[in-house]
Amino acid sequence: RGRWNALRVRTSGRAQPLSPASEAEFITEHYWGYAARRDGRSVEYQVEQLREAGADQVIVVLGHRADEVLPHVHRAGAQAIINELYAGGRASSVRVAAGALPEDVAAIVVLNVDQPRPAWVTRRLLEEHSRAGAPVTVPTFEGKRGHPIVFDGRLAAELRAVSEATQGMRAVLLAHDGEILEVPFDSPVVVLDMNVPEEYEMAKATYFEQVKR
């Protein structure tokens, strides 16, 4: 059976401030799962960051093993919706979430829980989205589109109608492809995605290693 080990570190020199919007700040300030934040979960972290970015309402759609995740959603103070049709694909979750939005919603931020983003990313996207008046706003890193995606509130009806048969949310993006605002970021955090354990381990090594340097 494995044993817990402890490390004790003695530092020297003057402490240096973290660079704003850096990966080191992302990990050190928030501890969303790479380091000491064992009492939290990715759901709680993401709800916290979305609120800090200015979101008035945070909706978390749950499917598989919803009963295990629900307490974390409630603890974070977000609205939980159970999608009984989750096995049918992501489009069903987008539909139920969009259906819970008020008619006067100004902007809609769509983000998977396995795509953790610090508040500064979403805040900047919302600011650029509002300034440009674009129907869709996405972050990019070195030319690659990332997440979260910000939809104008006028597209809520389109999100409520997505289906796997018509490519889900991708159909909405394709319908407005020529109008999408791309916001370039210097940080690869906007393309971070963790679908499988190997991607989680790679992300952990990449970001936490930068804190140790």
Side-chain angles (χ1 to χ4, degrees):
R1 187 172 61 179
R3 297 182 301 172
W4 284 101
N5 295 292
L7 294 176
R8 184 170 295 145
V9 179
R10 177 175 296 174
T11 62
S12 61
R14 180 175 298 179
Q16 299 296 315
L18 292 170
S19 299
S22 67
E23 290 83 2
E25 181 191 57
F26 172 45
I27 299 302
T28 305
E29 293 292 329
H30 302 292
Y31 293 107
W32 62 269
Y34 294 144
R37 190 171 176 167
R38 294 184 180 277
D39 59 336
R41 296 292 186 271
S42 293
V43 168
E44 294 175 56
Y45 168 81
Q46 198 60 81
V47 171
E48 172 190 298
Q49 296 306 300
L50 286 168
R51 290 199 184 283
E52 189 176 321
D56 296 316
Q57 179 184 18
V58 179
I59 299 172
V60 180
V61 181
L62 304 176
H64 181 57
R65 299 171 70 172
D67 57 327
E68 297 178 23
V69 185
L70 192 58
H72 301 291
V73 178
H74 288 161
R75 184 158 52 237
Q79 177 183 350
I81 298 179
I82 307 298
N83 176 20
E84 301 292 350
L85 303 176
Y86 70 89
R90 183 188 182 193
S92 62
S93 292
V94 174
R95 284 198 307 274
V96 297
L101 294 171
E103 292 299 325
D104 61 348
V105 62
I108 305 163
V109 179
V110 179
L111 184 62
N112 290 342
V113 72
D114 60 359
Q115 298 165 335
R117 300 293 186 265
W120 62 266
V121 169
T122 306
R123 187 184 302 114
R124 182 184 169 199
L125 284 172
L126 286 170
E127 290 172 352
E128 296 290 344
H129 179 81
S130 177
R131 185 179 298 114
V136 183
T137 300
V138 299
T140 64
F141 174 70
E142 295 183 347
K144 180 181 179 181
R145 288 180 177 178
H147 294 85
I149 300 174
V150 181
F151 294 91
D152 189 87
R154 294 169 296 173
L155 303 186
E158 295 181 40
L159 293 174
R160 294 183 186 117
V162 298
S163 68
E164 294 297 331
T166 56
Q167 297 186 295
M169 198 167 60
R170 180 176 173 79
V172 181
L173 296 174
L174 290 173
H176 300 276
D177 189 56
E179 307 169 275
I180 295 177
L181 172 65
E182 295 186 343
V183 181
F185 282 77
D186 294 330
S187 170
V189 71
V190 299
V191 294
L192 175 63
D193 202 348
M194 301 181 302
N195 292 314
V196 295
E198 291 77 14
E199 290 175 341
Y200 169 79
E201 293 299 329
M202 181 176 67
K204 183 170 67 172
T206 300
Y207 290 99
F208 191 49
E209 184 62 32
Q210 294 184 34
V211 177
K212 295 190 291 184
R213 291 195 190 109

